[in-house]
Amino acid sequence: MAGIFSSLSSYCILLVFIIVADLSLCTAQNDKQVYIVYMGSLPTGEYSPTSHHLSLLEEIVEGRSADGALVRSYNRSFNAFAARLSHAEVERISGLKEVVSVFPSRRSQLLTTRSWDFMGFPENVKRNPTVESNIIIGVIDTGIWPESESFSDKGFGPPPAKWKGTCAGGKNFTCNNKIIGARVELTSGAEATARDAEGHGSHTASTAAGNAVSDANFYGLAQGNARGAVPSARIAAYMACEEFCDDHKILAAFDDAIADGVDIITISIGKVVPFPYEKDTIAIGAFHAMEKGILTVQAAGNSGPDPFTVSSHAPWIISVAASSTDRRIIDKTVLGNGQTFVGSSVNSFALNGTKIPLIYGKAVTSNCTEDDAWSCWVNCMNSSLVKGKIVICDMTDTSVTDEAFRARALGSIMLNDTYEDVSNVVPLPASSLNPHDSDLVMSYLKSTNNPQATILKSEITEHNTAPVVASFSSRGPNNIAPEILKPDISAPGVEILAAYSPVASPSDNADDKRSVKYNVVSGTSMSCPHVAGAAAYVKSFHPNWSPSAITSALMTTALPMNTAKHADAEFGYGAGHINPIKAVDPGLVYEATRDDYIRMLCSMNNTHFSKCPQHIEGSPKDLNYPSMAVRVEENRAFTVKFPRTVRNVGLAKSSYKSNITTGSQINVMVEPSILSFKSVDERQSFVVTVAGKGLPANSMVSSTLVWNDGTHSVRSPIVVYTIKPSN
């Protein structure tokens, strides 16, 4: 058989990997499951596959015949068989030299790019197509690739009548009825273009509002239908970034987007160091967007998991954390002694099962210290020493794979990966291993004079504990306004497949010349457009809702996340994991106006957005926000009141009863505890009182308030904490 396994024969040293699956997914006989035993290509010459398969089974099965265990012998195009095996038998057959891999026979189904389905938002979800087609999402990013299938205008009518923008995409850029506007905020002149050379802008735009595209994949990985939340919506692209994003260009993009008449702005941009609102161009631009009824959605940042790293602080912006879906992309490293380790990378390369020499440390360099060599520091590797080998590196970073790629190594094994929850695209066969497996690799390296390994092409595996906030996702508390809980909400941001620029490197390595239409990328940059798309979906049913009403609907209907998996709880995921369908019918909404935000700013002595009265009472905790947070002094008794008002957007005549879930360290009361409404749009106010005898230093306590009328559950997190910044 020609292809990646063409060099294999039954006499080769082959690879073994076992993927354990749920028993319910496979045919079983007593304690036996159907497994597929894959053995590579059919050997040349005289060979009887079925006889060989039966002889292997005779060696390993117990208590029954080989014929009874064999389900199917594959013998025409490749060398494999299916058999009912116990776990012990699987372990034995996996150790045979002829065997490449053993894996359970799972039931398959037609796949999508997964994130929207994972959120319970299928492609055939109820829609309001006419209104959806009038929604315009402004994408402030690196531009867009207009020829992508995700942005085809087939079936689209002309732009909405409200559109005031233009197509100023520059050189070789043409808009259509899907991409109805484009502007270059970077430079002017003949060479200026809104064409996306980085891939980032195309990825975020298609996640929010891309068309449904079948058979999208990254070299066969994550194959399925790629789509945005609102495929009928229009896109306006504002190119404010290349490799970096200057503040003045970001502000220019906001300026244009607001004037052009977009409905939603998605901006997957932020800073590592927080700035006060008046010095934060995104907060400034979003404030003015809010004034015009435009909602801004921003990525929370990629500086986690440390506290106080969230880079989106303003309450008039939805700040989005990144979490996992139920699908992970992993790869496997197989040592010369047969040990197999599951690692992290999006590796599209196959080494054909060939065992390749391993090299490490001082052996890779002639011009660096041994410490730098161990870390595979930039320009440390000597190409003549690493060419044709797999390099072991002590550091896990894109610079490691870039250096190995530069030096023409055949592969790279990166050790001591403390962030095992995300895989990134690599420019060569590479894998990141956790500290435990790293120690085993080093033990093997020291135990033999001829260390060898191979790295397998990545594969898809189930992630049954999802959603879990990604380690890289920035955490609260809010450094600028400690009484405003940030981030607001979590959405899929790990290993997301979406449209990409064919001129951009999929691994961000300039020398990686592969060209792809769809790429797998991780970050809060990816979670942000999920929420922007969900916000547009809500707006398609409620075109006249304010930005704060849409924010409230998304937050109060979010799915609770498992606190046992999140030590930082709401500081990691905010109100919870986004649930777009529920957000269309939230029952009650918390709303805030421009004047409310001004009062909040004045309570912080911030006079930069408006002139403040001489005497301002209250603090940011009094803002009518869907979540509640307060920082208290450690080991001191406290009583804190949160005044709130909700508007009825559910049933005209309804009665909501409050329900509090809290721990023993605080007491929470709601007055009144029942809200009765006689009409739609009626408003009712209440006060939440939180009291406690004192919390220890660097601690937090979470509670939940839920208003329930039997149909709607309107959920708000309450967080009391003593955590303070270290500096």
Side-chain angles (χ1 to χ4, degrees), residues 385-705:
L385 298 176
V386 302
K387 186 177 181 181
K389 299 180 176 66
I390 293 176
V391 182
I392 297 176
C393 302
D394 277 348
M395 187 169 68
T396 300
D397 190 80
T398 55
S399 63
V400 172
T401 52
D402 287 348
E403 173 62 6
F405 186 63
R406 180 201 64 79
R408 293 182 292 175
L410 270 185
S412 175
I413 298 173
M414 295 171 282
L415 305 182
N416 302 310
D417 183 7
T418 55
Y419 303 136
E420 302 174 64
D421 57 348
V422 61
S423 294
N424 296 310
V425 174
V426 289
L428 78 170
S431 184
S432 300
L433 302 181
N434 64 41
H436 176 266
D437 290 348
S438 298
D439 289 342
L440 295 177
V441 169
M442 292 308 298
S443 295
Y444 165 73
L445 187 73
K446 296 171 184 177
S447 71
T448 177
N449 293 325
N450 184 30
Q452 295 180 323
T454 194
I455 300 170
L456 305 183
K457 182 180 178 179
S458 288
E459 60 187 81
I460 302 295
T461 186
E462 292 181 10
H463 182 41
N464 295 324
T465 60
V468 177
V469 175
S471 56
F472 61 76
S473 186
S474 291
R475 265 64 168 183
N478 187 333
N479 232 334
I480 302 301
E483 294 179 343
I484 301 296
L485 180 65
K486 291 289 178 173
D488 291 307
I489 201 164
S490 180
V494 176
E495 297 157 15
I496 304 299
L497 180 76
Y500 211 64
S501 168
V503 300
S505 163
S507 64
D508 286 333
N509 184 308
D511 294 321
D512 180 1
K513 301 302 183 183
R514 289 176 294 172
S515 175
V516 297
K517 295 180 179 179
Y518 292 85
N519 196 16
V520 176
V521 190
S522 298
T524 55
S525 284
M526 285 62 250
S527 57
C528 174
H530 278 93
V531 174
Y537 179 72
V538 173
K539 191 173 180 67
S540 72
F541 289 90
H542 306 286
N544 297 320
W545 276 13
S546 66
S548 61
I550 295 174
T551 298
S552 175
L554 292 169
M555 290 176 64
T556 60
T557 59
L559 295 169
M561 294 183 72
N562 190 339
T563 55
K565 302 172 189 172
H566 300 93
D568 35 28
E570 286 83 1
F571 290 141
Y573 50 70
H577 196 266
I578 193 166
N579 187 2
I581 293 177
K582 285 288 187 182
V584 170
D585 183 22
L588 305 174
V589 293
Y590 297 79
E591 290 187 285
T593 65
R594 176 190 183 278
D595 289 344
D596 294 325
Y597 295 124
I598 291 297
R599 278 193 290 273
M600 185 209 79
L601 291 167
C602 289
S603 75
M604 300 170 65
N605 296 317
N606 186 321
T607 60
H608 296 87
F609 288 80
S610 178
K611 186 177 180 180
C612 295
Q614 286 187 343
H615 303 289
I616 288 290
E617 296 181 356
S619 69
K621 70 175 176 55
D622 300 322
L623 180 70
N624 198 40
Y625 210 57
S627 60
M628 303 169 214
V630 64
R631 185 167 66 196
V632 298
E633 291 297 319
E634 59 193 61
N635 300 313
R636 286 190 182 182
F638 58 87
T639 299
V640 181
K641 294 183 182 296
F642 298 93
R644 292 292 187 269
T645 299
V646 289
R647 176 166 67 97
N648 180 23
V649 295
L651 301 174
K653 292 183 178 181
S654 55
S655 181
Y656 286 81
K657 185 178 181 179
S658 65
N659 181 53
I660 295 290
T661 303
T662 188
S664 60
Q665 292 175 284
I666 59 174
N667 294 315
V668 181
M669 294 192 312
V670 183
E671 182 62 36
S673 60
I674 296 176
L675 302 177
S676 295
F677 296 91
K678 297 179 181 179
S679 63
V680 174
D681 291 331
E682 181 183 351
R683 289 175 168 82
Q684 295 273 358
S685 297
F686 60 93
V687 176
V688 177
T689 302
V690 182
K693 295 181 178 180
L695 299 178
N698 295 313
S699 65
M700 68 175 291
V701 178
S702 302
S703 299
T704 302
L705 164 64

